[in-house]
Amino acid sequence: MSARAALLAAARERVLIFDGAFGTQIQERKLTEADYAGDLGLSADQKGNNDILALTRPDVIADITRAYLEAGSDVVSTNTFSANRISQADYKAEGLVREINVASGRIARALADEYEAKDGKPRFVAGAIGPTNKTLSLSPDVEDPGFREIDFDELVAVYKEQAEALVEGGVDFILIETVFDTLNAKAGIMAVKQLERALGREVPVMISMTLTDLSGRNLSGHTVEAFWYAVRHAKPVTIGLNCSFGAEQLRPHVKVLSQIADTLLLIYPNAGLPNELGAYDEAPETTAGLVKDWADHGQVNILGGCCGSSPAHIAAIAAAVAQSKPRAIPQPEPAMKLAGLEAFVAA
């Protein structure tokens, strides 16, 4: 059975559980620069380069992944949010992109297989690809609105390099996440499509949008509906929302997406809103109660956590929705559905 078919089958039985944040869990371990740098001999300071820990402290990444599996995660992600050539250039580690992604994929794959062998319940690995710190839709120079730091083909190549290494590492899906620019997401989709042609098989994608204001738009200005219509052609195995805000603020946007998306819905919000020090104070039980309401209303298929979430949050969510029925995937009437910044449906 393919990974897509297996995930769809599991999601018909119950609400599945995604994992939580890596960044805050790594921060709690108070690692030193030497932990990050290891013996790689890189010329730049590596502290804060969480992705490189797959090479220098794989035990830390394995420990966090294991904690999420213990908490009940059915799907775990790789710690590769910034493991691309653009982001790693900040640490002069762009030459290690392949090694980082392969190593991170293998860590998650080995642990997912270990837990599946224990109880026979399928576990899945999502290869996480972040948005990079570049945007294709907007100029970083207010004096030159036509200027772009990167073009579409270059970003496709960056994404393809990462996706190829993640697949080599054993991931089931490529997760294009925290999408603040819809055109960036399209570059990620193109990269995976090119990889599929090279491999001669499907590489299913999961796509997750992040909202930048309470009106429900991302940085490139697209509404939730417009974003879905812009990426639906990729036939993602999941569509959803992550990061952005806490579950309370995402409520209306989850409802909208659940009604129009004819695929699985994956939502993993932050643990509330950050306090004045940038920390997240929302208790696991609070987060779990908020997302349980979505599950009780049949609006979600997979739930997890983003910034500030921990294994305790994931365990609380798993317990809260254990008896909830999964969302039934809608079958919208055929229609021409187009997307500018707003959605347009030709009746």
Side-chain angles (χ1 to χ4, degrees):
M1 184 184 297
S2 69
R4 178 190 288 270
L7 185 68
L8 289 169
R12 284 193 289 269
E13 302 298 320
R14 58 193 173 84
V15 176
L16 302 179
I17 304 299
F18 193 62
D19 63 11
F22 271 90
T24 44
Q25 292 300 297
I26 291 170
Q27 289 170 13
E28 287 183 3
R29 284 157 172 80
K30 310 293 184 188
L31 301 178
T32 66
E33 202 279 332
D35 288 310
Y36 285 93
D39 58 1
L40 296 176
L42 296 171
S43 59
D45 190 312
Q46 295 300 306
K47 191 166 186 181
N49 187 3
N50 291 343
D51 307 79
I52 210 164
L53 293 172
L55 301 179
T56 57
R57 287 295 305 273
D59 59 303
V60 171
I61 305 307
D63 182 54
I64 295 169
T65 303
R66 184 180 294 278
Y68 283 127
L69 286 162
E70 285 287 340
S73 292
D74 299 287
V75 185
V76 289
S77 57
T78 56
N79 178 50
T80 51
F81 185 81
S82 297
N84 61 77
R85 186 166 291 275
I86 293 170
S87 301
Q88 286 301 309
D90 293 342
Y91 298 97
K92 298 189 181 345
E94 59 267 43
L96 293 173
V97 164
R98 178 184 169 278
E99 289 85 347
I100 292 169
N101 284 282
V102 170
S104 195
R106 286 174 177 166
I107 291 168
R109 178 81 271 156
L111 286 165
D113 290 348
E114 176 187 325
Y115 276 76
E116 181 172 343
K118 286 181 180 180
D119 58 15
K121 188 168 69 173
R123 304 305 200 284
F124 304 91
V125 178
I129 291 183
T132 79
N133 54 14
K134 308 296 183 187
T135 172
L136 290 172
S137 296
L138 304 171
S139 172
D141 183 356
V142 294
E143 301 295 330
D144 185 2
F147 173 71
R148 299 292 185 271
E149 290 184 288
I150 190 172
D151 64 29
F152 186 85
D153 290 342
E154 185 179 353
L155 189 55
V156 169
V158 166
Y159 281 140
K160 185 182 177 187
E161 177 184 33
Q162 186 178 7
E164 189 172 30
L166 285 167
V167 169
E168 183 180 343
V171 306
D172 296 301
F173 313 107
I174 295 296
L175 170 62
I176 303 169
E177 66 171 335
T178 320
V179 177
F180 61 76
D181 183 338
T182 304
L183 194 54
N184 282 36
K186 284 178 170 286
I189 291 166
M190 175 64 79
V192 175
K193 292 302 177 185
Q194 290 180 358
L195 179 58
E196 285 182 331
R197 286 195 290 271
L199 296 175
R201 65 175 179 87
E202 183 191 31
V203 179
V205 293
M206 308 167 88
I207 303 175
S208 187
M209 176 189 191
T210 189
L211 306 179
T212 52
D213 62 55
L214 293 174
S215 71
R217 296 178 185 269
N218 64 1
L219 189 64
S220 57
H222 297 88
T223 64
V224 169
E225 302 102 308
F227 179 76
W228 168 238
Y229 294 147
V231 301
R232 182 175 177 268
H233 67 281
K235 296 181 172 56
V237 67
T238 70
I239 190 70
L241 301 168
N242 78 290
C243 204
S244 310
F245 314 109
E248 185 65 42
Q249 291 76 23
L250 284 183
R251 182 187 305 273
H253 310 299
V254 171
K255 181 178 180 181
V256 167
L257 194 55
S258 73
Q259 293 170 339
I260 62 173
D262 53 346
T263 191
L264 299 178
L265 200 64
L266 163 62
I267 309 291
Y268 50 119
N270 292 343
L273 296 173
N275 61 28
E276 60 276 9
L277 298 177
Y280 293 84
D281 301 323
E282 188 169 277
E285 294 72 23
T286 302
T287 304
L290 291 169
V291 301
K292 183 179 187 299
D293 185 64
W294 301 338
D296 288 346
H297 285 85
Q299 295 176 344
V300 290
N301 301 102
I302 311 175
L303 286 168
C306 201
C307 301
S309 61
S310 67
H313 287 84
I314 301 307
I317 291 170
V321 303
Q323 303 305 316
S324 300
K325 292 184 178 179
R327 164 180 169 267
I329 297 176
Q331 299 298 321
E333 289 294 320
M336 180 184 290
K337 299 171 182 178
L338 306 174
L341 297 183
E342 308 278 346
F344 175 79
V345 178

